[in-house]
């Protein structure tokens, strides 16, 4: 197939760890990030954890000469933390907020308050229409007992749906961000297999950076090494994923990461390492999607999708079981609080029916008990509502996955299938709720 033009596109991605007053050296690190971006002159910059809009506006003023176009995606209580800077005009932007994102009572983790989401920006790069996505999924705090795994699987499911349904007219698709998933984790396989996105690190011809492309390294002074156990050196959880079309071929020519502390500075840009990829876009004179569609619809590909979605359904069902159990606990505790309140009211009403008999209990005791009962009722009511919403979201995702499996199996009907992958059922994790661990 003849080609007509080649374009080089440099993409940058970084989790900035920008929690004001909590992240160490936040203002100094933002200044360093601004200097880096002004010096390196990327085409597209994808940032995560820019939690303060003031910090975004400060970067916008500093980078205005190099990146005249930018957008900040607002969501949740403190914002999605997502921002994009571009040398190319941003024609349109849209934000999709994930339906599940942790628990509000786990305040020390803070994910729920961030309103995790995926932001999309449509750019015109020459004659090409690029759909650029930036996202940040829920963190993994304990790999052995990952309470948040069902939430992250649902986020990956919604992410692939969002990309598939919004990138139909795109000449190229780029996704960058902190996925909080290892390369072979379920959510990562679900995302890449369904969308056809390719991991730029796995196909790069020239790489300069941390060993194995790791972006959360043990040598980073901001890292708590307990967070990456049992991986001694670090993990790779930040990605730049890409996909071309019949109109343009896209490949990663070179890629690099930062390597901990910055030269001439006592600390690094963030607790994550930054990713920088140079992409080569080769425009095709003519194209036909038929060959690509045929490759995507092979029996092996369809069987792989069935296995992955089935595994994802298993994890979602585990999360659904935990959510239903926690909702029952909240309802049971609320009933106990209501019974205690009714008992107190009954005792308080005794003197009225005893024709002037004095109340044997101190008045202050009744006030304290009443306050306790109302607090229990209010807390359990809010938790019951929250867990009901979680149950509905998990049920909705499981229903969608069931439909997807049925559709894939229908397409496979009459075609000999390969041996299915054995899906190991995960034991439901011990959910640490506001009432303590669930037995």
């Amino acid at each position: 197939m003849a080609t007509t033009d080649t374009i080089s596109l440099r993409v940058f991605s970084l989790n900035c760890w920008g929690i004001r007053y909590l992240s160490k050296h936040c203002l100094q690190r933002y200044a360093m990030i601004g200097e880096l971006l002004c010096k390196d002159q990327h085409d597209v910059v994808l940032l995560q954890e820019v939690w303060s809009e003031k910090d975004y506006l400060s970067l916008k003023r500093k980078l205005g000469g190099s990146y005249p176009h930018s957008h900040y995606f607002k969501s949740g209580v403190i914002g999605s933390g997502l921002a994009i800077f571009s040398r190319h005009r941003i024609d349109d932007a849209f934000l999709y907020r994930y339906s599940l994102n942790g628990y509000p009572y786990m305040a020390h983790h803070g994910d729920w308050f961030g309103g995790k989401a995926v932001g999309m920006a449509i750019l015109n790069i020459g004659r090409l229409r690029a759909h650029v996505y930036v996202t940040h999924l829920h963190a993994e705090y304990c790999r052995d007992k990952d309470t948040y795994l069902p939430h992250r699987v649902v986020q990956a499911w919604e992410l692939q749906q969002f990309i598939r349904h919004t990138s139909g007219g795109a000449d190229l698709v780029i996704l960058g961000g902190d996925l909080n998933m290892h390369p072979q984790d379920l959510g990562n396989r679900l995302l890449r297999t369904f969308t056809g996105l390719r991991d730029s690190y796995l196909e790069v011809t020239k790489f300069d950076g941390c060993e194995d492309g790791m972006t959360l390294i043990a040598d980073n002074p901001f890292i708590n090494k307990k967070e990456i156990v049992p991986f001694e050196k670090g993990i790779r959880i930040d990605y730049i994923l890409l996909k071309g079309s019949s109109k343009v071929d896209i490949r990663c020519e070179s890629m690099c990461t930062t390597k901990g502390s910055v030269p001439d500075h006592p600390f690094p840009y963030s607790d994550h390492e930054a990713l920088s990829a140079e992409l080569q876009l080769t425009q095709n004179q003519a194209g036909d999607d038929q060959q690509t569609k045929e490759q995507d619809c092979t029996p092996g590909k369809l069987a792989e999708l069935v296995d992955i979605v089935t595994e994802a359904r298993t994890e979602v069902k585990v999360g659904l079981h935990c959510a239903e159990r926690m909702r029952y606990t909240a309802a049971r505790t609320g009933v106990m609080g209501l019974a205690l309140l009714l008992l107190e009211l009954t005792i308080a009403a005794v003197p009225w029916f005893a024709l002037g008999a004095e109340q044997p209990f101190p008045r202050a005791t009744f006030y304290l008990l009443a306050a306790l009962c109302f607090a229990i009722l209010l807390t359990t009511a809010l938790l019951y509502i929250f867990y009901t919403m979680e149950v509905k979201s998990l049920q909705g995702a499981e229903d969608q996955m069931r439909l997807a499996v049925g559709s894939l199996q229908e397409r496979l009907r009459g075609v000999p299938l390969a041996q299915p992958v054995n899906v190991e059922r995960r034991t439901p994790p011990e959910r640490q709720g506001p009432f303590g661990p669930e037995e």
Side-chain angles (χ1 to χ4, degrees):
M1 183 176 295
T3 60
T4 58
D5 198 8
T6 300
I7 300 175
S8 179
L9 185 72
R10 298 195 67 198
V11 179
F12 178 93
S13 177
L14 173 64
N15 180 323
C16 297
W17 192 45
I19 311 172
R20 278 205 170 197
Y21 314 114
L22 292 178
S23 299
K24 296 178 181 178
H25 310 293
C26 192
L27 295 180
Q28 298 94 318
R29 290 189 295 102
Y30 270 123
M32 293 163 54
I33 292 170
E35 293 172 2
L36 173 67
L37 295 176
C38 286
K39 179 182 68 175
D40 284 359
Q41 294 292 311
H42 295 84
D43 294 284
V44 178
V45 173
L46 306 173
L47 302 180
Q48 308 94 53
E49 288 205 18
V50 184
W51 294 121
S52 171
E53 190 170 0
K54 291 182 180 179
D55 292 326
Y56 160 73
L57 294 175
S58 176
L59 281 174
K60 183 178 180 179
R61 287 191 296 269
K62 188 168 187 175
L63 302 177
S66 304
Y67 306 92
H69 311 286
S70 65
H71 186 78
Y72 185 64
F73 297 94
K74 301 175 183 179
S75 173
V77 178
I78 60 175
S80 69
L82 305 176
I84 179 172
F85 293 86
S86 173
R87 291 177 56 199
H88 304 274
R89 177 176 294 279
I90 299 175
D91 289 338
D92 199 0
F94 185 75
L95 180 79
Y96 174 78
R97 183 175 175 180
Y98 299 123
S99 61
L100 292 173
N101 189 41
Y103 308 102
Y105 52 79
M106 302 293 281
H108 59 295
H109 288 165
D111 293 77
W112 184 84
F113 298 94
K116 298 289 180 66
V118 51
M120 178 188 75
I122 299 178
L123 283 62
N124 282 328
I125 302 174
R127 292 176 294 174
L128 300 175
R129 187 175 180 85
H131 286 210
V132 179
Y133 301 85
V134 56
T135 191
H136 184 197
L137 302 191
H138 198 293
E140 177 188 83
Y141 293 97
C142 179
R143 193 160 182 85
D144 293 333
K145 295 182 179 180
D146 189 2
T147 305
Y148 301 109
L149 179 57
H151 285 211
R152 199 161 48 254
V153 170
V154 171
Q155 288 181 345
W157 174 257
E158 293 177 347
L159 175 59
Q160 66 84 16
Q161 283 186 312
F162 181 74
I163 292 176
R164 284 193 301 111
H165 294 312
T166 58
S167 62
D171 297 319
L172 66 144
V173 177
I174 298 172
L175 168 65
D178 176 8
L179 299 185
N180 275 310
M181 297 184 294
H182 296 226
Q184 292 305 315
D185 281 356
L186 171 60
N188 209 327
R189 289 183 282 119
L190 186 69
L191 170 64
R192 288 188 283 111
T193 306
F194 256 103
T195 61
L197 288 167
R198 308 184 330 257
D199 188 346
S200 56
Y201 171 75
L202 296 180
E203 60 180 47
V204 67
T205 54
K206 181 181 179 182
F207 177 76
D208 178 24
C210 300
E211 182 180 350
D212 297 326
M214 293 182 296
T215 57
L216 206 63
I217 60 175
D219 293 337
N220 190 304
F222 297 138
I223 289 294
N224 180 357
K225 294 187 178 181
K226 293 181 180 179
E227 296 179 357
I228 57 176
V229 172
F231 305 95
E232 294 183 1
K233 296 182 178 180
I235 54 180
R236 183 164 77 95
I237 57 175
D238 300 85
Y239 301 84
I240 294 177
L241 306 180
L242 47 91
K243 184 175 77 169
S245 66
S246 61
K247 191 174 180 180
V248 59
D249 294 325
I250 181 170
R251 57 191 177 93
C252 186
E253 284 288 316
S254 64
M255 189 175 193
C256 64
T257 71
T258 53
K259 303 175 184 178
S261 295
V262 181
D264 301 325
H265 292 83
F267 42 79
Y269 295 108
S270 173
D271 60 342
H272 288 237
E273 302 306 316
L275 289 174
S276 180
E278 183 171 349
L279 309 180
Q280 205 73 18
L281 313 180
T282 304
Q283 299 182 56
N284 297 323
Q285 191 174 40
D288 187 0
D289 286 335
Q290 186 63 35
Q291 183 179 358
T292 302
K293 290 180 180 178
E294 290 175 356
Q295 292 174 352
D296 290 342
C297 295
T298 60
K301 182 75 169 181
L302 294 174
E304 180 185 8
L305 284 170
V306 170
D307 291 336
I308 291 175
V309 179
T310 301
E311 186 179 352
R313 284 186 68 192
T314 301
E315 294 296 346
V316 170
K317 287 178 179 179
V318 169
L320 181 59
H321 171 74
C322 291
E324 290 174 337
R325 189 175 60 185
M326 292 300 295
R327 182 173 65 171
Y328 171 75
T329 301
R332 184 179 59 184
T333 307
V335 170
M336 293 172 58
L338 179 61
L340 182 59
L341 179 61
L342 292 176
L343 178 61
E344 181 187 9
L345 293 176
T346 302
I347 295 174
V350 168
W352 295 352
F353 298 102
L355 301 178
E358 293 184 0
Q359 176 60 256
F361 298 101
R363 183 174 297 179
T365 302
F366 280 101
Y367 290 154
L368 289 174
L369 284 175
L372 176 62
C373 293
F374 279 116
I376 292 174
L377 286 173
L378 178 61
T379 301
T380 53
L382 292 175
L383 287 172
Y384 184 86
I385 293 172
F386 173 81
Y387 287 126
T388 299
M389 294 170 62
E390 182 185 13
V391 166
K392 295 295 184 184
S393 295
L394 289 167
Q395 287 175 338
E398 198 275 331
D399 288 342
Q400 294 168 12
M401 292 177 183
R402 175 173 48 80
L403 290 174
V405 169
S407 176
L408 292 168
Q409 289 177 336
E410 181 70 21
R411 295 165 65 183
L412 274 169
R413 183 171 295 176
V415 180
L417 295 178
Q419 291 297 322
V421 176
N422 291 327
V423 179
E424 181 180 353
R425 283 191 171 271
R426 187 170 64 92
T427 303
E430 183 180 85
R431 177 75 69 85
Q432 180 70 40
F435 310 105
E438 281 293 297
E439 298 297 332

